[in-house]
Amino acid sequence: MFATEQWVAPGTPIVPPTLPAVGNANAAISVEPLVPRPNTRSCVVELFSRREFTGAVPHAISFQPSADCPGPWARVVLENDLDVSAGIQYDRSARLELGGVNLYTGTTMEPRKNLSLRWHVERDVTDYSTLFASAARGSATLENYPDAVHDSRFHWRARLIFYAADSANPAPRFPDIVTPIAPKPVEISRAAPMIERIVTWPRNVERMAIDVLTMPQKSDEMWQHCVPNTVLPPEVQSQDSCGYPFRESEVRIDGILAGFAPVYPWVFTGGMGAWNWTLIPGIGTLDLQPYRVDLTPFAAQMNDGQPHRIAVSVRGAGDYMATTATLLAWRDAGRAVVTGGILRNTLKPAMLTVTGKITLPGVKGVPVDIVARRRGGVAGYVNGSHGRVTTRIDQAMRSTVRRTQQGNEADTRLLTHVDTRTLISGGGRDRRERRVEQFPLEWGVATDPTSTRRTFSDLDQSLIRDETITDATGTRRRVVRQTVSPRTLPDEKTTLYPEMVQSTVSIHISDSVAGCYDRTVTVVAQSVTAARDGCR
């Protein structure tokens, strides 16, 4: 079961999935906690029953709210159950939208000739409750083209579960406006550098945000390993170079930079060696979560009754960054018009520096270091029914890639560090937040000089997130550290097979309110060999 942990707030209860059994060989391994659910009456709305997906035609969805569970709800959970038959098939992308709003995007597992796989992905979509209050049309897409060689087939089932609110489990304050920037993913590239939408909102918005998901595809899929022509020998320079190993989404309002969304270095199950991901996928791979950018300092600017242009671009985009974005706005029920303004805006795009040179194979080279960094902030205020409320957001980002190549060995080390501090003051809403996120990725590859078909690889992919929130109820802190590490095992074969890989996934969560959760699972030769829980 997959319920991506990285965007869960401090104090959220921890619900571990079932511990995988030793010997398991047909279910994708997940260590992420499940979505916590209240002990209240629930209703299930089937979006579609289990069905096969072939070709590119989306499956139409007609959503009707359940009359047995009227909102507002304490929790709304989207559940997806997917499986792929044994055989040969590429990893594919699955997307589900309702009313043009992205509810789920993920990639799939790759099967083996003797191995079918199944996986469960669930997502908390309570913030989109406004969308579920009325009938809506949507679609699900999972493109697959089976043939005589690539014969595996995908099946998928999806449903929404609504949990009624009560005195012990009240409905949260969810956005009053949920608006997609585009009704389906848009390919951002050098030729088409942004997606945008013009919106005219009611005049009493007091808070706003945007959920941005940028999924790299084609030459952008492996952007972590891009090398600019400036550091390559002339013999191997190419006009098709994917540029710098840096990708970041930029959000603009009326042409003014308003926020950033880092692109996590996902590794899909066909990437960096499909043999590495037989049962344990890369972090977040099966459930690509959007990144929420707080735009509240600009809320008053949106309240003038005039149309405003909201745009998302991707720094470093090459030929395909599939991008979706959803605008969210909370209105002030006690005021018809909310005024205010921007106090400061020092946001600037990241600056890149490059040092070093890569040489031809067999020639000693100088490690290449590519660094992207930025620092800035924005502050604004609204005058509403709660009085004057000021929001200040400051963020620092540093992304470093070191690329080393000597002879038959190549090594890439990526570390993205994002530090975001938010201060809300006034109107009885004083709140202080700090979120520090790190995205380390290390990949070393060596080719046997006696056989170019034999490759050894070591890979470490991690997610580290440390968030602290202080408000009138006290201080809460949650630290998450998750790592996936596939390793090539020694073997005399000349070609790499999945049974030659040992992979370990681990997660450790320490929460000042919810407690501790620690799990490690190891897979060797396509089977679980160890699974343990235990907090230290």
Side-chain angles (χ1 to χ4, degrees):
M1 296 186 179
F2 293 81
T4 304
E5 164 66 27
Q6 59 257 50
W7 316 127
V8 177
T12 302
I14 300 172
V15 183
T18 302
L19 186 68
V22 172
N24 168 71
N26 64 352
I29 304 301
S30 168
V31 295
E32 293 93 341
L34 304 178
V35 176
R37 310 179 189 213
N39 186 23
T40 63
R41 183 170 56 89
S42 64
C43 296
V44 176
V45 176
E46 290 283 346
L47 297 178
F48 53 90
S49 58
R50 183 178 180 271
R51 67 182 306 277
E52 182 181 351
F53 280 76
T54 58
V57 178
H59 174 67
I61 297 173
S62 181
F63 169 77
Q64 291 287 342
S66 172
D68 296 330
C69 286
W73 305 281
R75 186 88 64 187
V76 184
V77 180
L78 171 67
E79 290 190 344
N80 297 282
D81 291 287
L82 301 96
D83 62 84
V84 60
S85 60
I88 298 175
Q89 195 53 263
Y90 297 110
D91 58 309
R92 303 295 190 180
S93 299
R95 295 186 176 92
L96 192 158
E97 58 83 17
L98 196 63
V101 173
N102 171 51
L103 294 187
Y104 165 69
T105 298
T107 59
T108 67
M109 297 294 291
E110 282 198 12
R112 300 290 178 259
K113 288 184 178 181
N114 61 344
L115 182 66
S116 60
L117 289 165
R118 65 180 184 275
W119 61 100
H120 173 90
V121 178
E122 55 186 49
R123 180 178 288 187
D124 185 348
V125 291
T126 311
D127 268 357
Y128 294 166
S129 290
T130 295
L131 180 67
F132 308 131
S134 57
R137 295 189 179 277
S139 64
T141 305
L142 198 168
E143 293 189 25
N144 190 39
Y145 303 93
D147 55 34
V149 176
H150 305 93
D151 54 350
S152 293
R153 297 177 178 273
F154 291 97
H155 292 83
W156 180 9
R157 173 200 181 192
R159 63 181 186 170
L160 287 166
I161 305 179
F162 297 86
Y163 293 86
D166 60 18
S167 58
N169 301 277
R173 175 81 192 285
F174 52 81
D176 301 288
I177 300 172
V178 179
T179 301
I181 295 295
K184 61 181 181 179
V186 176
E187 298 179 17
I188 288 183
S189 64
R190 296 185 187 95
M194 71 173 59
I195 61 172
E196 60 182 14
R197 179 169 182 170
I198 296 176
V199 298
T200 303
W201 277 353
R203 303 190 63 186
N204 60 347
V205 170
E206 62 176 358
R207 177 186 168 198
M208 61 184 290
I210 187 169
D211 287 347
V212 179
L213 174 61
T214 304
M215 179 183 181
Q217 298 277 266
K218 295 184 180 177
S219 68
D220 283 313
E221 180 177 333
M222 302 289 287
W223 62 266
Q224 308 95 325
H225 306 288
C226 290
V227 179
N229 281 327
T230 54
V231 300
L232 291 172
E235 298 94 322
V236 295
Q237 292 182 10
S238 169
Q239 62 181 6
D240 297 323
S241 166
C242 58
Y244 296 88
F246 177 70
R247 301 291 186 273
E248 183 173 65
S249 297
E250 299 175 347
V251 181
R252 286 175 170 80
I253 299 177
D254 297 328
I256 303 300
L257 198 54
F260 302 90
V263 177
Y264 183 76
W266 293 298
V267 182
F268 306 142
T269 54
M272 296 189 190
W275 53 82
N276 284 318
W277 318 108
T278 301
L279 288 184
I280 298 177
I283 295 174
T285 295
L286 304 186
D287 183 16
L288 306 180
Q289 291 271 352
Y291 193 95
R292 180 162 295 181
V293 181
D294 192 343
L295 300 175
T296 300
F298 297 87
Q301 178 178 324
M302 302 290 291
N303 289 335
D304 59 3
Q306 300 300 311
H308 294 273
R309 186 184 304 272
I310 312 296
V312 178
S313 58
V314 181
R315 178 76 179 276
D319 60 6
Y320 199 147
M321 300 291 287
T323 303
T324 61
T326 302
L327 277 169
L328 309 173
W330 292 254
R331 300 173 65 183
D332 186 342
R335 184 70 62 88
V337 177
V338 172
T339 61
I342 294 289
L343 297 173
R344 65 177 171 90
N345 186 351
T346 61
L347 298 178
K348 295 181 180 179
M351 298 290 293
L352 276 77
T353 58
V354 182
T355 58
K357 287 283 186 180
I358 287 181
T359 60
L360 294 174
V363 179
K364 186 176 181 180
V366 178
V368 174
D369 291 305
I370 302 171
V371 179
R373 57 165 65 89
R374 59 172 171 78
R375 180 184 296 272
V378 60
Y381 68 97
V382 292
N383 297 313
S385 62
H386 306 283
R388 176 166 171 158
V389 179
T390 301
T391 301
R392 298 176 174 87
I393 303 172
D394 292 283
Q395 189 175 82
M397 183 280 302
R398 179 183 173 92
S399 177
T400 303
V401 176
R402 164 160 282 203
R403 180 75 180 269
T404 305
Q405 185 168 323
Q406 289 191 14
N408 300 300
E409 299 181 2
D411 184 78
T412 300
R413 296 171 181 259
L414 164 71
L415 175 60
T416 300
H417 184 282
V418 184
D419 187 346
T420 307
R421 305 182 189 216
T422 303
L423 176 63
I424 303 171
S425 57
R429 299 185 174 186
D430 290 4
R431 181 182 175 97
R432 185 184 300 270
E433 302 176 8
R434 184 180 184 187
R435 184 175 66 232
V436 178
E437 298 158 300
Q438 298 181 64
F439 311 142
L441 177 68
E442 298 183 12
W443 187 34
V445 179
T447 302
D448 188 336
T450 65
S451 173
T452 57
R453 298 183 63 197
R454 178 168 175 160
T455 303
F456 305 89
S457 69
D458 288 333
L459 194 153
D460 288 289
Q461 181 192 37
S462 299
L463 167 70
I464 305 166
R465 183 172 187 250
D466 186 343
E467 183 170 11
T468 303
I469 297 177
T470 301
D471 56 21
T473 65
T475 297
R476 305 173 297 284
R477 184 184 182 191
R478 191 180 187 100
V479 181
V480 180
R481 179 184 291 271
Q482 185 174 352
T483 300
V484 175
S485 302
R487 297 278 187 273
T488 303
L489 298 175
D491 196 280
E492 295 304 318
K493 296 178 180 178
T494 58
T495 306
L496 192 58
Y497 292 95
E499 58 265 28
M500 294 168 56
V501 173
Q502 172 180 299
S503 184
T504 299
V505 59
S506 64
I507 190 170
H508 182 86
I509 301 175
S510 177
D511 190 294
S512 61
V513 176
C516 174
Y517 167 58
D518 183 279
R519 176 168 292 182
T520 301
V521 180
T522 300
V523 169
V524 178
Q526 304 185 87
S527 180
V528 175
T529 58
R532 68 160 184 83
D533 284 340
C535 283
R536 298 181 293 276

